[in-house]
Amino acid sequence: MSLFKTRDLWTISGENDLFDQGCLKVANIGVNKNLNSIITGSYNGYLRIYNPSLNKDKNESEKSFKGNDLICEVSFPSPIIQIEIGKFNSMSKKNHVAVLMPRKLAVYELTNTNDGNVEHGNQFKLKFIYEHQLERSAFSMCKGPFGGMTGPNSEPHEYICVQSMDGTLSIFEYESFSLSCFLPKVLIPFPIKYIAKTDCFVTVNSSWELEVYSYQTLATSGKTFERQSSGDSSIVKSKRIQPAYSYNLGESVIDIEVFTQNNNCSILVLGERNLFCFNEMCNLRFMKKFDFNPSALCVYPLISQDGSIINTNTLNFLITTHSKNLFVHEDVKVKWAAQLNNVPVQICVAKINEINGVIVTLSEDGKLECSYLGTEPAFLNPLLKEEASKPFNFESAEQEYRNLQSQIKNAIMNTGMVVTPSRKTGLIMSIDVPSKLDVLSRNLETELTDPIDPIPSINCKLSLKCMEGAQNVRVVVNCKPPLVAVPDNICFASINAIAYEQEICFYPKTQHIPSSLDVSICASYCYMANGAPRVAECRFKLPLKLVMKAGQQGSKVESEPKEPSKSQIKKITIETNRSCVNLTEIFPEFAASYIPANGNVISAQFYGMASMNIIIQAAKSGIGRYRLQSDNYESLWLISKEFVTRLNAFYTKQSQTLELVYQENLPTEDLRMIIDKHLDLRYRIENQKEHLEKVVHNLERFRNKC
């Protein structure tokens, strides 16, 4: 968050409208020869034209909206998807307004309806010029002198290209329909822009690839329709269109901007996590990675005090974020950062009422603002102008400084104000792990089979709440094989102070030896107030009986067992400074395998692995010695870890100190065998490579002789 905030020049709140990218334009459409107007079009079908004025009078507020600032408002029967300003009439040089609706493209001209001067000022209305009915639902549009066509005075024509939801491009030359073509790999459309320098269109396909198509390629390979008067039949000639240039972005795109200066064309692509800058041939100039979620992009030229454009070799642009931040960039460097009052869906820099560099932002709910960076100019605030003329009073400043120092000192000494910890904030997650297992439901699939006992499962209850309010909450459950969680991915639109509960079922599914019973639940979310992203985590442990059960009840086991079988040769001996305890107190879940005649011995098995029997034996003498054995070391890891943890907890409850000693050599034989096998395979690969090189060399010699 920036320490600075943008200063408001003029603002108006929305009227329950809905806006998105392409619904804001700033241009001169004929209200005044030297003044720009702000044009907005909403999804509710309202087109509004504003002519904001700054009032420097002391008695009036220069930031509030006045009735005469809205010069025209028109209601359309369909939602307004996008608006464009340009010379779209072949019989006029004035700027016109192109309004794109789902099934219609209409062009209007702003005219003055006054026959003479009246008391309440000038009146304006939109005059209908022409329209085009669209055969497919529209998504966006762009304008430009397609084909490099110019008028009588060498002024470029401005045509309109409409992109449909299925990737169809329809080009209109003023009142006439020109051509239509289908772009490949378009399942979801993205923004499209026109590059005047190379006469190309740039867009993104559904594979997240930036593609540049030449207008000549579209004109010759596209579909040309010869419409009859009824409009029902058409002659179609089509060829597959290939892009002139392409680049794999690897992420979704929010906006595309094309900027030309000093005969250098730059294509800026705003992604969800990165900003890409290309030249007109789709060669990457630079790339910037974000640690925030961007919302809008605007490229602007530098303007001098006399109003002329300053030609530089750098690229200047603004980026806004969903956390209400505004970043001013010069190429990849951030020159300034400021806090906004809302999250813009579109932003632009324009000249408003003879003031250059005004930042115009439009939010999703229709809040329109004209603001600037830095401190408030004196000519806009008479109070600042009067204060600036007064001499600085050093004595009053010194007294104010001492008062503030005293308040800070008192606040630090007041422990009730500073030291008292605040309540826990953010998303709070808690888990309830029951002590009783359930039988695995038939709806859940598992690779394990057990001839005696059914495969168990456990239903844990996850509780989530957030006192501040959280939105876009995504919860991911992570556990180690063979355990799986159902569901393992949960989404919530919003979570408030009322706890939300979700049951999660854990059960063993695959033929793996368990390595851990720890479970991590991670949640990503955003605060409702400011949209700041946050992450919360909850860790807990599942019971051992979810993956293991009591083992085989064999015959009597001797106190010092001999080699029980050729397979059970892996063993671990742990010595302690305390006498041995009854193993059923350490592992009550395996008490069914305990036979008093066999001594202090229990056995355990993994579900679905009946051939793998794990034995835990305590010495009968007073020495605190325990032996764990199985047919491999992998199966001993989890049970030995759990044994040490429970043994420490047992003596901690009795306020006794426990020392554990392992005096044998580390069991690294299997590890060494794996390393030797890996090294042998590497040698064999090198030998095969040398042999292959010799064969290829002999083959080349044979070909040369032939």
Side-chain angles (χ1 to χ4, degrees):
M1 180 180 294
S2 174
L3 296 175
F4 304 97
K5 294 190 66 175
T6 57
R7 305 301 298 269
D8 294 337
L9 283 172
W10 180 85
T11 180
I12 178 175
S13 300
E15 299 178 0
N16 297 325
D17 284 352
L18 187 62
F19 297 84
D20 204 351
Q21 192 178 82
C23 294
L24 170 67
K25 290 294 175 182
V26 179
N28 188 346
I29 56 174
V31 178
N32 191 301
K33 293 183 179 180
N34 300 321
L35 296 180
N36 289 330
S37 300
I38 301 176
I39 305 98
T40 63
S42 70
Y43 285 170
N44 295 37
Y46 288 96
L47 179 71
R48 298 182 178 92
I49 302 176
Y50 300 95
N51 188 20
S53 59
L54 300 179
N55 197 323
K56 304 176 185 178
D57 196 352
K58 295 182 181 180
N59 298 326
E60 296 185 14
S61 173
E62 67 277 2
K63 300 177 183 179
S64 61
F65 168 78
K66 302 176 182 61
N68 57 357
D69 291 344
L70 179 62
I71 61 175
C72 185
E73 181 178 15
V74 179
S75 175
F76 289 87
S78 300
I80 298 176
I81 300 175
Q82 188 178 343
I83 54 176
E84 284 287 352
I85 309 298
K87 298 177 176 62
F88 303 133
N89 189 357
S90 59
M91 306 301 295
S92 175
K93 296 182 179 181
K94 292 179 58 178
N95 280 336
H96 291 66
V97 182
V99 181
L100 180 64
M101 289 168 278
R103 289 285 183 169
K104 183 191 298 185
L105 172 64
V107 175
Y108 297 88
E109 178 186 356
L110 185 68
T111 59
N112 194 329
T113 61
N114 290 345
D115 296 330
N117 293 329
V118 292
E119 182 179 357
H120 53 270
N122 296 327
Q123 295 183 2
F124 296 89
K125 75 171 185 177
L126 284 180
K127 179 182 177 182
F128 174 78
I129 304 300
Y130 63 87
E131 70 177 19
H132 294 284
Q133 298 293 332
L134 304 178
E135 297 181 355
R136 295 173 174 85
S137 298
F139 174 76
S140 63
M141 65 176 174
C142 64
K143 65 171 185 176
F146 309 151
M149 301 299 295
T150 58
N153 298 328
S154 298
E155 294 184 358
H157 292 296
E158 286 189 310
Y159 302 145
I160 299 175
C161 174
V162 178
Q163 180 184 208
S164 302
M165 294 294 294
D166 58 354
T168 304
L169 298 184
S170 301
I171 296 178
F172 301 93
E173 297 179 357
Y174 299 137
E175 297 88 350
S176 303
F177 171 81
S178 177
L179 61 94
S180 179
C181 58
F182 290 92
L183 296 182
K185 299 181 182 180
V186 177
L187 298 177
I188 301 175
F190 286 94
I192 184 171
K193 294 297 173 68
Y194 175 72
I195 308 174
K197 181 180 178 180
T198 57
D199 192 26
C200 295
F201 294 91
V202 57
T203 184
V204 178
N205 61 23
S206 297
S207 300
W208 294 344
E209 296 173 343
L210 184 72
E211 295 183 335
V212 177
Y213 294 93
S214 171
Y215 176 76
Q216 296 299 327
T217 302
L218 300 180
T220 57
S221 303
K223 297 179 180 179
T224 304
F225 293 86
E226 297 179 2
R227 297 185 174 179
Q228 299 181 359
S229 58
S230 62
D232 294 333
S233 61
S234 60
I235 300 176
V236 180
K237 300 177 182 179
S238 63
K239 294 182 180 179
R240 182 173 178 82
I241 302 175
Q242 297 294 335
Y245 310 102
S246 63
Y247 187 91
N248 190 354
L249 300 174
E251 63 177 302
S252 183
V253 172
I254 300 175
D255 194 9
I256 301 176
E257 288 284 345
V258 178
F259 185 74
T260 303
Q261 188 175 10
N262 291 339
N263 202 28
N264 294 326
C265 181
S266 300
I267 305 172
L268 269 79
V269 181
L270 181 65
E272 293 181 344
R273 288 297 179 186
N274 297 280
L275 175 73
F276 304 88
C277 181
F278 304 90
N279 61 6
E280 64 273 11
M281 295 184 180
C282 219
N283 295 324
L284 184 65
R285 291 180 53 192
F286 63 82
M287 172 181 171
K288 183 176 178 63
K289 187 174 181 62
F290 299 141
D291 56 355
F292 51 80
N293 295 324
S295 64
L297 168 69
C298 171
V299 188
Y300 63 94
L302 295 180
I303 307 296
S304 61
Q305 293 183 356
D306 58 357
S308 60
I309 297 178
I310 302 176
N311 294 324
T312 61
N313 295 325
T314 59
L315 202 60
N316 302 278
F317 54 92
L318 305 178
I319 293 179
T320 60
T321 71
H322 284 278
S323 55
K324 301 180 182 179
N325 286 330
L326 170 68
F327 294 99
V328 182
H329 284 76
E330 183 182 46
D331 289 339
V332 295
K333 297 180 180 179
V334 178
K335 290 295 185 179
W336 193 262
Q339 187 76 12
L340 297 170
N341 296 325
N342 51 70
V343 179
V345 295
Q346 192 167 353
I347 182 173
C348 61
V349 179
K351 181 179 180 181
I352 305 293
N353 280 11
E354 304 298 331
I355 302 177
N356 288 318
V358 177
I359 301 173
V360 184
T361 58
L362 177 66
S363 65
E364 185 179 13
D365 56 357
K367 188 171 184 180
L368 183 63
E369 290 185 349
C370 296
S371 57
Y372 59 93
L373 303 176
T375 57
E376 189 171 4
F379 73 89
L380 292 178
N381 195 333
L383 297 178
L384 293 178
K385 189 174 182 180
E386 293 178 1
E387 291 291 334
S389 62
K390 295 180 181 180
F392 185 76
N393 192 337
F394 291 94
E395 295 181 358
S396 61
E398 180 69 20
Q399 183 64 32
E400 184 180 0
Y401 172 74
R402 291 178 179 177
N403 294 336
L404 292 175
Q405 287 286 82
S406 178
Q407 294 178 14
I408 294 173
K409 185 177 180 180
N410 294 334
I412 294 176
M413 295 178 62
N414 187 355
T415 58
M417 182 182 301
V418 178
V419 181
T420 302
S422 60
R423 62 180 177 85
K424 189 175 181 180
T425 59
L427 183 65
I428 302 174
M429 294 191 297
S430 61
I431 191 76
D432 180 19
V433 182
S435 58
K436 184 179 179 181
L437 299 180
D438 301 323
V439 178
L440 184 64
S441 174
R442 295 181 179 178
N443 298 329
L444 301 177
E445 297 180 354
T446 180
E447 300 174 4
L448 304 179
T449 57
D450 196 286
I452 301 175
D453 300 316
I455 305 300
S457 65
I458 187 170
N459 291 317
C460 301
K461 186 175 293 184
L462 176 66
S463 176
L464 305 96
K465 67 178 180 178
C466 183
M467 304 302 296
E468 297 84 0
Q471 59 184 358
N472 300 329
V473 182
R474 181 180 179 183
V475 181
V476 179
V477 184
N478 298 308
C479 55
K480 300 292 182 64
L483 295 174
V484 294
V486 179
D488 60 351
N489 198 316
I490 313 165
C491 295
F492 298 94
S494 61
I495 290 179
N496 49 32
I498 302 176
Y500 286 73
E501 293 184 350
Q502 173 70 39
E503 281 196 355
I504 304 176
C505 178
F506 296 92
Y507 69 97
K509 181 179 181 180
T510 58
Q511 291 279 353
H512 289 86
I513 298 177
S515 61
S516 176
L517 297 173
D518 296 331
V519 179
S520 173
I521 300 180
C522 299
S524 61
Y525 63 97
C526 298
Y527 281 122
M528 287 185 179
N530 53 12
R534 292 291 184 270
V535 176
E537 186 179 17
C538 174
R539 292 180 178 270
F540 63 98
K541 188 177 181 181
L542 294 173
L544 181 64
K545 57 185 178 181
L546 183 62
V547 295
M548 299 188 72
K549 65 173 184 174
Q552 298 174 357
Q553 300 183 13
S555 59
K556 181 178 179 179
V557 181
E558 299 177 357
S559 60
E560 295 295 333
K562 53 186 178 181
E563 297 296 332
S565 66
K566 293 183 179 180
S567 60
Q568 291 184 343
I569 58 175
K570 311 299 182 185
K571 58 184 177 180
I572 297 175
T573 303
I574 301 175
E575 297 181 0
T576 68
N577 62 338
R578 301 291 176 183
S579 59
C580 293
V581 299
N582 192 343
L583 292 178
T584 57
E585 298 183 20
I586 304 298
F587 293 103
E589 56 267 55
F590 305 145
S593 66
Y594 177 73
I595 300 178
N598 293 345
N600 197 3
V601 180
I602 61 173
S603 62
Q605 291 179 356
F606 292 108
Y607 281 99
M609 302 179 186
S611 60
M612 190 181 300
N613 204 41
I614 303 172
I615 297 176
I616 306 175
Q617 179 180 357
K620 290 185 178 181
S621 60
I623 303 174
R625 181 181 298 170
Y626 303 90
R627 176 176 294 178
L628 295 84
Q629 63 184 33
S630 179
D631 57 353
N632 57 59
Y633 283 117
E634 294 87 347
S635 60
L636 291 177
W637 156 246
L638 183 62
I639 193 70
S640 60
K641 179 184 177 183
E642 191 71 17
F643 174 71
V644 172
T645 302
R646 296 190 182 189
L647 200 61
N648 279 304
F650 177 81
Y651 285 104
T652 301
K653 290 182 180 180
Q654 298 180 1
S655 301
Q656 297 180 6
T657 304
L658 177 67
E659 296 180 2
L660 300 174
V661 180
Y662 180 78
Q663 295 182 351
E664 300 177 1
N665 296 328
L666 292 177
T668 58
E669 294 83 3
D670 293 347
L671 179 61
R672 291 175 182 175
M673 291 176 58
I674 294 174
I675 294 175
D676 293 339
K677 185 178 180 180
H678 175 75
L679 184 61
D680 181 62
L681 291 175
R682 293 291 298 269
Y683 280 136
R684 293 175 60 184
I685 291 174
E686 293 297 328
N687 294 334
Q688 292 294 334
K689 286 183 178 179
E690 293 178 1
H691 178 69
L692 185 61
E693 290 178 357
K694 292 180 181 179
V695 172
V696 172
H697 181 68
N698 295 334
L699 181 62
E700 290 179 353
R701 292 178 60 185
F702 177 76
R703 287 181 177 178
N704 293 334
K705 290 181 179 181
C706 294

